[in-house]
């Protein structure tokens, strides 16, 4: 017998039934009113006492079993709660690590862009400083930061759905299945197919994750994809610019 709320309710009904029978037999109104004289009354036969005792022993025995089951269930839930709390703390640590990592990436990128921009300014110090170049440098930092959160997935079959919304939902479901079989926990913020749809050609999926650290972790564990059941022929790559690919 497994412990459940239904089991508790069934036991409660049995106890209520036993209480009602005792109150009628002893004519006490409520069990709290029972006295020694009532139990010693001549109107209460040995058979009555025997029935009362057997019924009480039966309920007590069942109560002990259910209480043991309840205690085991509570211990199990307590252990699950502790494990969930540990997982929550781990996720919080990962989020903090992601944020710190993103800040480091931004700092490094900004330093690189500012250094490059400073070199350009020094080389062309005789020319007036163009605000558009500073704007382009800042924009480049932001674009690079967003791109660092992306991962390209190749070899995932395309859905036959005609509407783009349904296609995207199907792709998101396949990505979730891939991550599950891969043993990776990652939040997919957005996803889309790249390129124009062509018969016989499977377009890659660009998936955006919550932070750059997640994308880097997936890329570093790319070889483990071969161990999945349904996605062993898939592979992944970082999201690079056309200049980087060339």
């Amino acid at each position: 017998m497994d412990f459940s709320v239904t089991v508790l309710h069934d036991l409660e009904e049995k106890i209520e039934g036993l209480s009602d029978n005792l109150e009628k037999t002893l004519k006490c109104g409520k069990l709290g009113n029972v006295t020694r004289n009532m139990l010693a009354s001549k109107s209460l036969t040995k058979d009555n006492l025997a029935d009362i005792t057997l019924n009480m022993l039966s309920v007590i025995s069942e109560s002990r079993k259910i209480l043991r089951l309840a205690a085991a269930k509570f211990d199990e839930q307590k252990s699950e709660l502790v494990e969930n709390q540990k997982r929550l703390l781990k996720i919080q640590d990962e989020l903090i690590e992601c944020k710190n990592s993103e800040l480091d990436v931004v700092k490094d990128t900004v330093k690189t862009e500012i250094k490059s921009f400073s070199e350009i300014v020094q080389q062309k110090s005789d020319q007036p400083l163009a605000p558009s170049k500073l704007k382009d440098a800042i924009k480049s930092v932001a674009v690079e930061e967003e791109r660092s959160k992306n991962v390209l997935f190749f070899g995932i079959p395309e859905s036959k759905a005609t509407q783009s919304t349904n296609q995207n939902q199907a792709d998101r479901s396949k990505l979730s299945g891939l991550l599950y079989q891969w043993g990776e926990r990652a939040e997919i913020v957005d996803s889309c197919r790249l390129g124009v749809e062509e018969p016989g050609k499977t377009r890659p999926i660009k998936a955006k994750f919550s932070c750059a650290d997640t994308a880097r972790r997936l890329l570093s564990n790319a070889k483990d994809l071969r161990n999945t059941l349904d996605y062993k022929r898939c592979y992944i790559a970082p999201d690079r610019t056309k200049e980087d690919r060339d």
Side-chain angles (χ1 to χ4, degrees), residues 75-241:
D75 288 340
E76 179 184 343
Q77 291 180 340
K78 182 179 179 180
S79 299
E80 290 179 357
L81 179 61
V82 171
E83 289 301 318
N84 288 335
Q85 289 175 337
K86 289 181 179 178
R87 283 195 288 268
L88 179 60
L89 290 173
K90 184 179 179 181
I91 292 173
Q92 289 176 339
D93 291 339
E94 289 177 353
L95 287 174
I96 293 173
E97 184 179 349
C98 281
K99 290 181 179 179
N100 292 336
S101 177
E102 286 184 354
L103 286 174
D104 291 339
V105 171
V106 171
K107 289 177 182 178
D108 292 341
T109 307
V110 169
K111 287 180 181 178
T112 301
E113 294 294 338
I114 290 177
K115 182 179 179 180
S116 300
F117 185 68
S118 298
E119 291 174 352
I120 293 174
V121 172
Q122 290 176 0
Q123 292 172 3
K124 300 182 179 181
S125 57
D126 56 329
Q127 298 180 3
L129 182 64
S132 60
K133 290 187 177 182
L134 180 59
K135 182 179 179 180
D136 290 341
I138 296 173
K139 182 179 179 181
S140 175
V141 172
V143 171
E144 184 62 29
E145 169 61 16
E146 287 301 307
R147 185 179 289 110
S148 66
K149 301 177 184 179
N150 300 337
V151 176
L152 303 185
F153 289 80
F154 297 84
I156 298 179
E158 294 197 42
S159 170
K160 295 181 180 180
T162 56
Q163 296 184 356
S164 59
T165 302
N166 295 336
Q167 289 176 344
N168 190 263
Q169 289 176 349
D171 287 340
R172 189 70 66 88
S173 177
K174 291 175 182 177
L175 286 171
S176 297
L178 182 149
L179 292 172
Y180 178 78
Q181 292 188 21
W182 194 0
E184 291 285 351
R185 290 185 177 182
E187 180 186 356
I188 303 172
V189 177
D190 194 13
S191 65
C192 65
R193 292 277 179 176
L194 300 180
V196 180
E197 185 175 359
E198 296 181 17
K201 180 181 178 181
T202 301
R203 295 175 295 169
I205 300 176
K206 180 172 73 172
K208 181 178 181 180
F209 294 92
S210 56
C211 67
D213 189 62
T214 297
R216 285 194 293 271
R217 187 184 76 241
L218 295 179
L219 290 168
S220 66
N221 296 334
K223 63 180 183 300
D224 295 334
L225 264 175
R226 70 186 69 169
N227 299 325
T228 61
L229 179 63
D230 301 316
Y231 302 94
K232 57 183 63 179
R233 294 186 178 181
C234 300
Y235 63 96
I236 63 176
D239 183 18
R240 296 190 179 96
T241 62

Side-chain angles (χ1 to χ4, degrees), residues 1-58:
M1 178 175 62
D2 295 329
F3 175 76
S4 66
V5 176
T6 302
V7 172
L8 277 181
H9 287 323
D10 291 342
L11 177 62
E12 182 184 10
E13 290 180 1
K14 290 180 181 180
I15 293 174
E16 288 292 337
L18 177 61
S19 299
D20 292 341
N21 289 334
L22 288 174
E23 289 167 358
K24 290 178 181 178
T25 302
L26 298 175
K27 299 178 181 179
C28 61
K30 293 182 180 180
L31 289 181
N33 299 330
V34 175
T35 63
R36 184 181 181 84
N37 291 334
M38 290 180 181
L39 294 174
S41 173
K42 294 181 179 180
S43 61
L44 193 63
T45 65
K46 291 183 178 180
D47 289 337
N48 294 141
L49 289 173
D51 290 340
I52 291 173
T53 302
L54 287 174
N55 289 333
M56 290 182 66
L57 288 175
S58 176

